[in-house]
Amino acid sequence: MDASCCERFGERFENALRILFTSWGSFCVRRPLVVILASIVLVAACSSGLIYMHVTTDPVELWSSPSSQARQEKEYFDTHFGPFFRTEQLIITTPLVPDPPYSPYPIGDDVPFGAPLRKDVLHQVGVGERVTLKDICLTPLAPYNSNCTILSVLNYYQNSHDVLDHTTTDGFWTTADYHSHFLYCVSAPASLNDTTPLHDPCMGTFGGPVFPWLILGGYDATNYNNATALVITFPVNNYHNDTKKLGKALAWEKEFIDFVKNYSNPNLTIAFSSERSIEDEINRESESDISTILVSYIIMFVYISLALGHIQSCRRVLVDSKISLGIAGILIVLSSVICSLGVFSYIGIPLTLIVIEVIPFLVLAVGVDNIFIIVQTYQRDERMPQEELHQQIGRILGDVAPSMFLSSFSETVAFFLGGLSSMPAVRTFSLFAGLAVFIDFILQISCFISLLGLDIKRQESNRLDILCCVKLSEGQEEKSDGFLFRFFKKVYAPFILKEWVRPLVVSKWLIFEFLHTGPPVYFVVEEGHDYLTMEGQNSVCGGVGCNNNSLVLQVYTASLISSYTKIGFTPSSWLDDYFDWIKPQSGCCRYYNGTGAFCNNTTCVNCRPMTQSGKQRPTGQDFMRFLPMFLSDNPNPKCGKGGHASYSAGVDLIGNDTNVGATYFMTYHTILKTSADFIDAMKKARNLADNITDTMGLQGTSYRVFPYSVFYVFYEQYLTIVFDTAFNLSVSLGAIFLVSTVLLGFEVWSAVLVSLTIAMILVNMFGVMWLWGISLNAVSLVNLVMSCGISVEFCSHIVRAFSISTKTTRVERAEEALAHMGSSVFSGITLTKFGGILILALSKSQIFQIFYFRMYLAIVLLGATHGLIFLPVLLSYVGKICFPHSNHRCIILFSNVLKYFFFFK
C-alpha cells in the first residue's frame, strides 16, 4: 500500500531531526572548547539574574490568585477599612486544682470556679504594661485613649493587680470581690459599673467591651465560671502596602514569640500563636529538613557518578569509571535549574519554596535519564570502520536525541501551559519547571556531548578518571554489555513478553485502575447603598420598623441555626446603634449651639428635639449631619453607645462626610476546627451574602454584599481545586499528545498510547493519595503536574524505540525497545530517585513526609511499573504504527484494543 502524505512527511521529519542532531553532535565533539565556553556564558548570563531573586513565603501570595474572589474581596476590605488586624494569642491552662466554690453574699448557690480563675493564677498571668505595644497595637479610641486593646479576663479588672484585689466587707463577711465582679462582667461586658458594692467597671481599658467567649475556653454552655483555659489576644495593627510599619509589627511578633518560648512558670501551661506563625512554620518546615534533603541529593549524586561507568575489569576501574562525567552531568542539570531561577528573577517573578524544593528533583529525573540514555547507548555501540569519534557520537546523538527532544519538549510545553493556572504556587512552579527542562535539554545536547567526547578520548588513551594526567599501561580488554542491559535483554524483556505473561499484565492493570468562638466575619456592603432614605435603612437595620429580611435580621436568623450556617452570634450594627445614640431621650447626641460642634456636656443642645418627629430616625442631610459625631464619640458612663471604638473603622465616609460609602457588619463564625469546617463556613457565608444581596434588590446595581474573614484567602483554593486539577492535568496531557504526535513523525496511535499510559499513572496517583491520606491541595497538585512530566520520561523513550524498530512483529519490537531503552530508564530514573526518596522518610516535617516522600515514591514506582511493565505489553498487542490516513489499519487496531479490553473485563 502506498504511504500517505502524513506518513511521508513524518518520515522526512524524522530524517531531518536525525541529520540535524548528527551534525550538531559531530560539531560538539570537534569543537569542545567553543561549545563548553558558550555554555558557561549562557549559564552565567542567566544565573546573574539571581541578584534580583526574591523568595516569597507569604501564604496569601502562595495560595491565592490576585484575580480570585477572596483576594479581590480582601483588597476591597483592606482599601476601605484597613487591613484586618494581626492576631497574637496565648492560651493558658494550669495544673493547679480549683479553689473551693464561691459563696455569693448575702444568699445564693455556691458557684464553682475553674482553676485558671484562681486569684493567684490571675496575678501570675497579669500582663499589664509589661508588654510594650504602643507603636503597633490596636487603639480604637486614639487619640483620646492610647491604651492598647488586650482581650483578656484581666481587662475586667482594668489590667490592674490592685483592682483584682478589690474587696468590700460589712465588718464580718466579704460582700464583694473579684468573683462577684467576674460574674457580673461576663453577663454585661460593656457595663461601666458592676452594681456590686465595688462599683468597678467591666469595660476594657481600651474603651471597648471584652466578651467572655473571646477570653475564656473549656466552659460549658454559658457557665463561664467553669472555664479551664484563659485566652489572651493582642490585636496588632496591620498595614496596607506599608512595609516599614509592617516591619515593626513583625519585629514585635518575633520578640513576642521568643518571650513566650523562654517564659517558664510551673503553675502555667502556655500555648501561643502569632500572625506570622504560618509564615514562620513554612520557613521552619523547609529549614528543619535541609540536612535530610542534602543527604537525599548526595545519595542520588553518588549513584549517578558511579552507575554511569561501564567497568570492563578490576584493572581498569579508575579508567572506565565516569565519576567526573557524572559530576559534570549533575552540574549541568543544576545549572539548568539555576538558569531558570535567574531568568524569572530578571523578569521579577518571585520564587517559592515549592519551586526550590521540587524543581531540582524534577530536573534530575528528566536530565539524568537523558544522560544515561546517551552514555549507555555509546557504551553499547561499535565504532564503524573508518569512522572517527566525532562521527560516532554524532550518529549516536542522531539516534537518541529525537527521543530526548520528544520527552523534553513535551514536558516543556506541558509545564508552560500549566502556567495558565490561576493558583500562584502551581503557576510559578510550572513556569520555572518548563524553562529548566528546556535549558537542561539544550545543555545536554551541547555541553554534555562535548564533555562526553573529551571523556571518551581520556578513556581510550588509558588515562585515569579525575586524575587524567595519570596514564594506565596498555592492555587489551574485551568489550561487554553492562549488567542491567544484559538483564533486560536476556531475562526481563523475554519474560514480560511471553505469551502467558502478557494477558496477566493487561488484566492486572485493567482491574486496578480550647476556643469557643471562631474567627470574626464581616458582611460588607459595598459603596453605593443609600442610607439616607428610610427604604435604604430598612433593608439593612435590625430594629423596630426594619424589614424582616434585612441584612442584620438575616445574619441574626443565621446565628440561631449556627450548626448549619456557621454564624455564631448576632451581628454588631452601627446603623442601629447610631439610631439609639441619636434619640433625644438617650442624651448622647449634643452640640454647641454656637458652633454646631459635637459636645458631650449636658448643658449643650440635644441633636434632635424631644418631639414626635425628633424621635423618628434621621434621613437625608439630617442623617449625615450627626453621623461623624457618632463615629468620633467615645463610650462613657452616661452614654455607652458612642461609636468611636466599635465602628469608626467600619463606616467609610465619602464626599467630605456628605455620604456613606462602604460599611461592614461584624459577627463571629462558630468554632472551626478542621479544614472542612473552614471551607463550609466560607461557602455558607457566601450563600447567605448572596441571599442578602438578592432580598435587598441589588441585582443589576453596581454594588453587592459579600462576607469577609481573614482565612478565606487560604481556603478558597479548595472550592476550585477539583476544577484546577482537571484543567491543569488535561492541558498537560493534551500538550503531551500534540507534541508526541508531531515529534513521532505524526504517528497518532503512538501518541495515543503515550497519553493513555500517562493518564493511567495519574489515575493511580489519585488512588495512592486516597489510600495514603494525602489531601488534594496546591502542593499535591504541583506534584501531580510534576508526575505528568516525569511520566513522559518513563513512556516516550519506550514508545519511540518501538516505533522506529525494524523488527517484523509487535512482540519482537516491544522486546527490542524494552531491552535497549528499559535499562536506561530503569537506571536513569528509578534507581537514581529511589535511594534519594527513601531518605525523605526520615524527615521530621509533615510536609516532606506526606507531600514529598509519599508522593515522590508513588510517582517513581507507578511510573516504573507502567513504563517498564504495562506499556511494553500494551505495545506488543496494539502497538503497530497507525497513521491518520490508514483508516482500515486504525479500525483493525482499535478493534483489537476493544477485544482485549472486554475479554479481560
Side-chain angles (χ1 to χ4, degrees), residues 435-564:
L435 186 58
V437 169
F438 181 73
I439 294 177
D440 181 51
F441 171 74
I442 297 298
L443 293 176
Q444 283 176 335
I445 64 169
S446 54
C447 184
F448 184 77
I449 293 298
S450 295
L451 292 171
L452 175 62
L454 293 175
D455 188 73
I456 293 171
K457 291 177 182 178
R458 172 202 60 78
Q459 186 178 4
E460 290 180 346
S461 62
N462 283 337
R463 295 186 180 275
L464 301 186
D465 192 14
I466 302 178
L467 302 174
C468 55
C469 57
V470 180
K471 189 174 182 179
L472 190 69
S473 60
E474 296 292 335
Q476 199 67 24
E477 299 292 342
E478 183 179 348
K479 189 172 182 179
S480 62
D481 293 326
F483 169 75
L484 271 180
F485 178 72
R486 294 198 304 273
F487 173 76
F488 269 76
K489 183 177 181 179
K490 302 294 185 182
V491 180
Y492 179 72
F495 171 78
I496 203 69
L497 294 170
K498 286 183 180 296
E499 285 297 327
W500 63 274
V501 175
R502 290 191 296 151
L504 293 178
V505 171
V506 175
S507 61
K508 169 67 176 174
W509 254 262
L510 291 174
I511 293 170
F512 180 71
E513 293 287 333
F514 271 108
L515 297 174
H516 273 261
T517 185
V521 55
Y522 301 83
F523 285 86
V524 178
V525 182
E526 293 181 342
E527 182 180 327
H529 189 69
D530 188 1
Y531 294 92
L532 278 62
T533 64
M534 193 69 69
E535 180 183 1
Q537 295 170 4
N538 288 340
S539 65
V540 173
C541 64
V544 177
C546 301
N547 297 344
N548 292 331
N549 58 0
S550 69
L551 183 153
V552 171
L553 288 178
Q554 285 199 54
V555 178
Y556 166 72
T557 303
S559 71
L560 300 180
I561 47 175
S562 58
S563 59
Y564 173 74

Side-chain angles (χ1 to χ4, degrees), residues 222 305 449:
T222 57
S305 299
I449 293 298

Side-chain angles (χ1 to χ4, degrees), residues 614-629:
K615 295 178 182 179
Q616 301 297 317
R617 296 188 213 150
T619 57
Q621 293 307 309
D622 208 19
F623 180 92
M624 289 307 305
R625 178 184 175 188
F626 303 111
L627 181 58
M629 299 180 184

Side-chain angles (χ1 to χ4, degrees), residues 705-770:
V705 177
F706 69 84
Y708 170 75
S709 191
V710 69
F711 69 86
Y712 287 1
V713 290
F714 304 116
Y715 284 91
E716 190 183 43
Q717 60 167 298
Y718 292 98
L719 299 183
T720 60
I721 192 66
V722 174
F723 171 80
D724 289 339
T725 302
F727 172 78
N728 280 278
L729 297 184
S730 298
V731 166
S732 296
L733 280 174
I736 291 168
F737 171 75
L738 291 176
V739 174
S740 298
T741 299
V742 174
L743 296 184
L744 284 172
F746 290 90
E747 295 181 9
V748 177
W749 189 245
S750 296
V752 168
L753 296 182
V754 170
S755 302
L756 174 65
T757 306
I758 294 173
M760 292 176 64
I761 293 173
L762 292 174
V763 169
N764 282 278
M765 279 295 299
F766 284 112
V768 169
M769 289 172 63
W770 181 79

